[in-house]
């Protein structure tokens, strides 16, 4: 069982609202979405949780034995399409997917009982890495105060480890993986590594080795720790 | 939206007559409530082990006679539960190492229902919608000082019972898969057979027959993870402060009375033959000297009843239950749950 939790970014809140509004407008049974959330929660500790989830929603559409009425296939089809549309880009981040889907289910129930608001449905993220757009150029639907995300302290921290999020999310890393890196800066005993062929830069203290390194030198590093979203947090100079 | 199924026929009626579409006879029977109201007594309680009462642990082996499915309500990919060739299926509870599990609560419910039926007891749980249609003397016990026979043993509102059920764990890993045919909800409001004509009150308790095999729905059914036939589960039941009659009744319900052998019916798909379990009593741990028993970690060998001593003890308790068990109710229940007079599961739409 996955015990990690993540704070949702404003973009993620847009995704949750987008899923909830789409499904509420189509009068999809929220319990069916909750079954999918339950499935993702049960497999979230697996490395391929995201792809398993999309396989699961796809199989729900195909497995006729689980259809209990004429409406059920339509529910499953819409859930499958909507989840793929909004969450495919987060496939490698099951903790975030789980948070978004959990809120989407709650919001869908809220919209179902309280009425679907008139306005734009937030669109899925731009495949080129941009923020979610809105269907017809309207403003994002204001979020209730209680649902508004808190400031994320991690984003505010001074960044000794400079990373390009857009580039890093495209790459997949594992703990223990060996990578080639070049040294882009040395300041005192702090060394900045740039992972080759990416924009990922990590600055960390190398008190014993800093003196023997030079800027521009190519080295090999081992991934020691990853962030929840799969980005590299720390490396070891080999 | 639930599809409209055929209305259940009254129990005991043959299939619909000549020329009409034959609807299978419904595979259940109602065991009427006894005429006399239940005798409510003060329970033995848990404050101490009474020296004149029985305490111990039953070690049971449950062998699946017809495929068993107890649903968790959770869906998974077939590959997630080690079943190939199935896309998505309804899962059963498993242990972390992948063994199938029958929850103790499921076993307790099945056993309690049978215990209630053969003793003069109240109902344990009722739906508020039908509260007015339950005879007043069969409403669940509310006063913990005045409990019916089943409530004294299994518990009641605000009152813990004298028996505790462990989860039954399969001895082997792996599981089967089946296809549960479509089943429609019970329709008591549409079936007059559930209620007495004169006052509209509920007639009795409903039990499904045991069947020769579990019907599979194939293409049209719901894919389910199942415990296949001959799967073996192990479990334990702890008991304390039981009278010989109460323990004897429990043995009878577990099918240990050679004159009235019975199977348990547990889980989903009972109408189409699923969920029959054969109970075997392996041994009983019954401390003779409680102080000595709880002064050491392992029980003395003399405290464990097996083989001939076990059989003699069981028969002794069953004899003590004569007069406590309602003979007519027992006869009817044993006929429904007989391990030998098995029926064919109904075909067609249920």
């Amino acid at each position: 069982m996955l015990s990690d939790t993540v704070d949702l970014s404003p973009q993620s809140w847009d995704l949750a609202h987008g899923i909830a509004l789409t499904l509420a407008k189509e009068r999809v049974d929220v319990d069916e979405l909750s079954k999918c959330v339950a499935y993702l929660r049960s497999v979230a500790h697996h490395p391929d949780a995201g792809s398993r989830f999309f396989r699961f929603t796809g199989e729900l559409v195909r497995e006729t034995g689980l259809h209990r009425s004429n409406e059920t296939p339509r529910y499953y089809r819409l859930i499958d399409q909507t989840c793929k549309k909004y969450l495919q880009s987060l496939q490698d981040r099951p903790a975030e997917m789980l948070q978004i889907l959990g809120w989407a289910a709650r919001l869908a129930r809220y919209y179902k009982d309280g009425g679907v608001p008139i306005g734009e449905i937030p669109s899925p993220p731009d495949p080129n890495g941009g923020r979610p757009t809105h269907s017809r150029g309207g403003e994002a639907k204001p979020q209730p105060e209680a649902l508004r995300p808190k400031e994320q302290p991690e984003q505010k921290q001074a960044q000794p480890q400079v990373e390009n999020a857009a580039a890093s999310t495209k790459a997949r890393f594992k703990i223990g993986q060996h990578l080639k890196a070049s040294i882009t800066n040395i300041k005192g005993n702090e060394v900045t590594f740039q992972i080759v062929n990416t924009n990922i830069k990590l600055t960390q203290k190398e008190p014993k080795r800093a003196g023997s390194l030079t800027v521009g030198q190519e080295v090999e590093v081992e991934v020691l720790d990853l962030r929840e979203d799969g980005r590299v947090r720390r490396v070891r100079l080999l | 939206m639930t599809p409209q199924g055929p209305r259940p026929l009254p129990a005991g009626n043959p299939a619909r007559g000549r020329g009409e579409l034959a609807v299978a006879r419904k595979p259940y029977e109602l065991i009427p409530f006894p005429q006399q109201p239940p005798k409510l007594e003060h329970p033995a309680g848990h404050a101490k082990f009474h020296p004149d009462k029985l305490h111990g642990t039953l070690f049971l082996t449950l062998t699946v006679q017809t495929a068993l499915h107890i649903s968790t309500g959770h869906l998974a990919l077939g590959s997630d539960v080690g079943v190939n060739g199935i896309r998505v299926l309804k899962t059963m509870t498993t242990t972390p190492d992948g063994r199938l599990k029958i929850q103790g609560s499921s076993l307790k419910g099945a056993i309690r229902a049978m215990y209630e039926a053969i003793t003069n007891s109240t109902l344990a749980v009722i739906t508020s919608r039908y509260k007015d249609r339950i005879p007043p003397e069969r409403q669940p016990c509310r006063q913990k000082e005045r409990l019916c026979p089943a409530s004294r043993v299994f518990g009641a509102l605000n009152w813990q019972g004298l028996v505790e059920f462990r989860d039954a764990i399969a001895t082997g890993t792996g599981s089967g898969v089946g296809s549960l045919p479509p089943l429609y909800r019970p329709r008591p409001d549409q079936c007059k057979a559930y209620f007495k004509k004169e006052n509209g009150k509920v007639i009795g308790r409903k039990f499904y027959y045991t069947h020769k095999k579990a019907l599979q729905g194939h293409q049209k059914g719901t894919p389910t993870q199942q415990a296949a036939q001959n799967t073996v589960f192990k479990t334990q039941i702890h008991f304390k402060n039981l009278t010989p009659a109460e323990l004897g009744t429990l043995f009878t319900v577990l099918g240990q009375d050679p004159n009235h052998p019975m199977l348990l019916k547990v889980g989903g798909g009972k109408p189409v033959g699923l969920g029959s379990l054969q109970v075997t009593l392996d041994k009983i741990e019954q401390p003779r000297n409680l102080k000595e028993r709880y002064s050491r970690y392992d029980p003395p060998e003399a405290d464990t009843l097996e083989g001939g001593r076990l059989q003699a003890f069981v028969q002794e308790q069953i004899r003590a239950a004569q007069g406590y068990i309602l003979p007519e109710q027992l006869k009817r229940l044993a006929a429904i749950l007989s391990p030998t007079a098995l029926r064919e599961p109904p075909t067609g739409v249920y």
Side-chain angles (χ1 to χ4, degrees), chain A residues 39 42-43 56 59-60 66, chain B residues 74-81 86-91 225:
Chain A
Y39 177 75
S42 72
V43 298
F56 175 78
E59 297 294 10
L60 277 182
L66 295 166
Chain B
H74 180 73
L75 300 173
L77 291 171
S79 55
D80 291 334
V81 293
I86 299 289
R87 292 173 177 149
V88 189
L89 78 177
K90 285 187 166 184
T91 55
Q225 187 180 16

Side-chain angles (χ1 to χ4, degrees), chain A residues 1-5 40-46 94-96 98:
Chain A
M1 196 64 74
L2 191 78
S3 56
D4 290 348
T5 55
L40 179 58
R41 192 181 302 122
S42 72
V43 298
H45 59 287
H46 288 284
E96 201 169 332
L98 201 48

Side-chain angles (χ1 to χ4, degrees), chain A residues 8-73:
Chain A
L8 289 187
S9 63
Q11 293 91 329
S12 300
W13 279 104
D14 280 348
L15 299 181
H17 278 288
I19 296 169
L21 282 167
T22 307
L23 297 181
K25 274 191 172 176
E26 295 289 346
R27 301 183 316 284
V28 170
D29 186 347
V30 184
D31 290 336
E32 301 294 352
L33 178 64
S34 297
K35 283 180 195 171
C36 300
V37 182
Y39 177 75
L40 179 58
R41 192 181 302 122
S42 72
V43 298
H45 59 287
H46 288 284
D48 61 341
S51 59
R52 272 197 204 208
F53 173 75
F54 292 119
R55 192 148 51 92
F56 175 78
T57 57
E59 297 294 10
L60 277 182
V61 179
R62 285 185 280 276
E63 179 53 69
T64 55
L66 295 166
H67 298 171
R68 293 182 311 288
S69 73
N70 294 334
E71 282 289 276
T72 321

